[in-house]
Amino acid sequence: MALILTLVLAGCADDRRAERLAAAGPDPSLDALLTVADANAGARKFAACAACHKATKGSPDMGGPNLYGVYGRPMAQQSARYSYTAALRDAGGRWDARTLDAWIAHPQKVVPGTKMIYPGVADPLDRADIIAFLRRQAD
């Protein structure tokens, strides 16, 4: 029930979406969207991820690993306690903006065989906001 309420309230929040999209320009690139991304809006949008992930220092892993400090880190090495799939461990790479954008859009396309079955976030600005939030969630 709390998750549903959070998602409803997130949809009602005034995040200056139209203004930010206009500032990013027509058919904006990921880099353009990241310049107008709003970490506070991303925190609200992260509510959809919160069923499986936390992004606060010291929080336990849940259905997925705690994502606090994940930005810039190697893939499948965020949590020593979490049981990552072999597919994710073997994928290599780092959780940078481009990788996170692709992952948040459709995890199975980035790493076929991952156990993360989330269908993804279609909206590029929503993804940029979530990335801005994850960047902020670090020491």
Side-chain angles (χ1 to χ4, degrees), residues 72-94:
R73 298 222 23 188
M75 293 174 75
Q77 295 184 22
Q78 179 63 15
S79 172
R81 299 173 307 271
Y82 188 74
S83 177
Y84 296 98
T85 60
L88 190 58
R89 286 192 312 269
D90 294 343
R94 292 191 168 274

Side-chain angles (χ1 to χ4, degrees), residues 8 11 19 34 45 68 76 94 104 109 113 132 135 137 139:
V8 169
E19 176 187 331
L34 289 171
K45 294 167 186 175
Y68 182 85
R94 292 191 168 274
I104 295 167
K109 285 186 180 177
R135 274 180 162 164
Q137 297 307 104
D139 291 325

Side-chain angles (χ1 to χ4, degrees), residues 58-134:
S59 290
D61 297 328
M62 297 175 39
N66 181 350
L67 298 180
Y68 182 85
V70 73
Y71 190 88
R73 298 222 23 188
M75 293 174 75
Q77 295 184 22
Q78 179 63 15
S79 172
R81 299 173 307 271
Y82 188 74
S83 177
Y84 296 98
T85 60
L88 190 58
R89 286 192 312 269
D90 294 343
R94 292 191 168 274
W95 291 118
D96 59 17
R98 296 210 183 297
T99 304
L100 282 166
D101 182 58
W103 180 267
I104 295 167
H106 199 297
Q108 290 286 332
K109 285 186 180 177
V110 176
V111 179
T114 182
K115 62 184 167 187
M116 186 166 162
I117 57 170
Y118 185 71
V121 175
D123 186 275
L125 182 58
D126 288 349
R127 294 192 309 265
D129 288 342
I130 293 168
I131 293 165
F133 167 71
L134 290 172

